[in-house]
């Protein structure tokens, strides 16, 4: 379970205080995948990072009683001067898993051939995204946190491999995905919410959330 209890979070931009959440309380139960619609710049990444424990609220409490993934695309645990092979083995040890298995799994999903044995620092943005996603899929979580969907890549093989594995993972897991596009959410979620002016408006269906989001966008 992921639960926010009277959580507040804000940042000082240099000219004004930007409110991300204002005394927000909500719960995401296992099996109830949630999509959150939010405009760019409203705090999508911040709310996902708080769910993962990467950022702390200013006030209130975030409770996590399940295995929560790091956000898709998060590279905080990856060391640029090390190869993908070395990084994958390091991550495996952090989670108490078999390094040989995690390296082999990530190598297969990435499909970046000899680059897997080169320092991550020389990778293109697309290659780094593919490697981060492969690590996310290699580990077993109860909740998967996704910020804006799958990495943008033109590699059909990677899209097919990663998409297939993600669908398998989500058969027994819960996903929380934030995006500024409803089309991204409908692939994964039925329940949805809208993040607006520091409040999270929860809805039973994506269509209901989309109606409010579209109305606000027009306004």
């Amino acid at each position: 379970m992921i639960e926010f209890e009277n959580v507040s979070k804000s940042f000082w931009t240099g000219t004004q205080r930007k409110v991300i959440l204002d005394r927000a309380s909500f719960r995401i139960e296992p099996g109830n995948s949630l999509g959150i619609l939010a405009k760019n710049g409203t705090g999508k990444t911040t709310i996902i990072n708080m769910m993962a424990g990467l950022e702390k609220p200013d006030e209130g409490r975030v409770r996590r009683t399940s295995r929560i993934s790091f956000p898709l695309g998060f590279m905080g645990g990856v060391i640029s001067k090390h190869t993908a092979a070395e990084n994958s083995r390091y991550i495996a040890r952090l989670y108490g898993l078999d390094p040989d298995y995690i390296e082999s799994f990530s190598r297969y999903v990435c499909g970046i051939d000899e680059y897997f044995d080169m320092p991550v620092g020389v990778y293109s943005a697309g290659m780094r995204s593919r490697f981060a996603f492969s690590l996310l899929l290699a580990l077993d979580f109860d909740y998967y946190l996704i910020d804006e969907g799958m990495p943008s890549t033109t590699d059909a093989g990677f899209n097919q491999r990663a998409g297939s594995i993600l669908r398998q993972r989500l058969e027994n897991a819960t996903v929380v995905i934030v995006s500024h596009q409803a089309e991204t959410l409908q692939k994964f979620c039925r329940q949805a919410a809208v993040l607006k002016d520091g409040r999270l408006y929860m809805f039973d269906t994506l269509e209901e959330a989309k109606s409010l989001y579209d109305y606000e966008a027009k306004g």
Side-chain angles (χ1 to χ4, degrees):
M1 178 187 68
I2 301 175
E3 185 175 22
F4 279 46
E5 297 179 349
N6 294 315
V7 169
S8 294
K9 184 70 174 181
S10 63
F11 295 102
W12 178 252
T13 65
T15 58
Q16 61 181 347
R17 182 155 295 279
K18 182 177 182 59
V19 177
I20 305 300
L21 287 177
D22 181 18
R23 293 167 292 181
S25 295
F26 60 91
R27 180 185 299 180
I28 307 171
E29 299 284 359
N32 293 331
S33 292
L34 175 68
I36 300 175
L37 282 169
K39 297 178 182 178
N40 288 329
T42 57
K44 298 190 304 296
T45 298
T46 299
I47 194 172
I48 280 287
N49 284 347
M50 284 196 290
M51 291 180 185
L54 298 175
E55 293 191 40
K56 295 182 178 180
D58 298 332
E59 297 178 356
R61 182 170 66 158
V62 179
R63 296 180 60 229
R64 292 174 290 271
T65 60
S66 305
R67 295 169 297 174
I68 313 296
S69 80
F70 49 87
L72 171 60
F74 176 69
M75 300 291 287
V78 174
I79 302 172
S80 294
K81 67 179 181 180
H82 291 171
T83 67
E86 292 168 333
N87 273 291
S88 60
R89 299 180 73 84
Y90 169 70
I91 295 296
R93 294 187 184 97
L94 285 181
Y95 283 89
L97 301 173
D98 179 7
D100 290 338
Y101 169 77
I102 299 301
E103 178 189 347
S104 298
F105 182 98
S106 182
R107 187 183 293 268
Y108 162 72
V109 174
C110 276
I112 56 177
D113 301 324
E114 68 273 14
Y115 281 96
F116 201 83
D117 297 302
M118 297 182 185
V120 174
V122 305
Y123 290 7
S124 66
M127 292 169 64
R128 289 173 66 90
S129 294
R130 286 163 66 174
F131 176 53
F133 197 19
S134 74
L135 288 178
L136 180 77
L137 295 176
L139 307 174
D140 190 19
F141 296 106
D142 299 313
Y143 284 79
Y144 286 87
L145 306 178
I146 302 178
D147 187 354
E148 290 289 359
M150 288 179 58
S152 177
T153 172
T154 58
D155 187 281
F158 170 78
N159 290 341
Q160 184 176 11
R161 290 190 300 274
S164 175
I165 295 169
L166 180 60
R167 285 191 291 272
Q168 293 175 19
R169 292 283 190 270
L170 296 185
E171 288 179 0
N172 299 303
T174 304
V175 64
V176 181
I177 179 170
V178 294
S179 178
H180 68 284
Q181 295 181 322
E183 293 74 17
T184 303
L185 305 186
Q186 64 188 10
K187 301 176 184 178
F188 303 100
C189 309
R190 293 183 179 178
Q191 186 180 13
V194 176
L195 179 63
K196 175 182 176 293
D197 298 331
R199 294 190 59 188
L200 194 70
Y201 298 88
M202 303 286 288
F203 296 92
D204 292 331
T205 67
L206 175 58
E207 286 304 315
E208 290 176 293
K210 188 173 180 295
S211 295
L212 174 61
Y213 185 70
D214 290 343
Y215 175 80
E216 294 295 334
K218 292 177 182 177

